[in-house]
Amino acid sequence: MASESKVVEHPKKAFGWAARDTTGVLSPFNFSRRETGEKDVAFKVLYCGICHTDLHMIHNEWGNSIYPLVPG
């Protein structure tokens, strides 16, 4: 039985590079996030790395990736 992804639109606009399938190709991706709550911490990301776990997830090597997937 295939599971259906439910797209929820949040008020905060965001941008990332997403894998859309197991090829490993990343492409520009606009998405939304929830607003920062009173118990959240907000910070500006200036640089981002990618680790080997991200590579496993991009290629769905563990069988649990959900696309689009923004690694990092």
Side-chain angles (χ1 to χ4, degrees):
M1 180 169 125
S3 63
E4 293 183 28
S5 295
K6 188 177 196 182
V7 177
V8 177
E9 189 67 28
H10 295 285
K12 193 91 164 168
K13 301 300 177 196
F15 173 80
W17 288 84
R20 308 207 183 237
D21 54 36
T22 60
T23 63
V25 175
L26 301 179
S27 60
F29 181 63
N30 291 299
F31 59 100
S32 62
R33 302 180 65 94
R34 65 175 174 78
E35 289 290 343
T36 306
E38 65 180 48
K39 295 184 178 183
D40 294 327
V41 176
F43 57 94
K44 184 176 183 176
V45 176
L46 300 176
Y47 302 94
C48 179
I50 192 165
C51 71
H52 202 81
T53 299
D54 294 322
L55 299 176
H56 288 297
M57 292 299 293
I58 288 170
H59 294 290
N60 195 26
E61 292 173 356
W62 296 326
N64 62 348
S65 297
I66 299 171
Y67 299 98
L69 186 147
V70 179

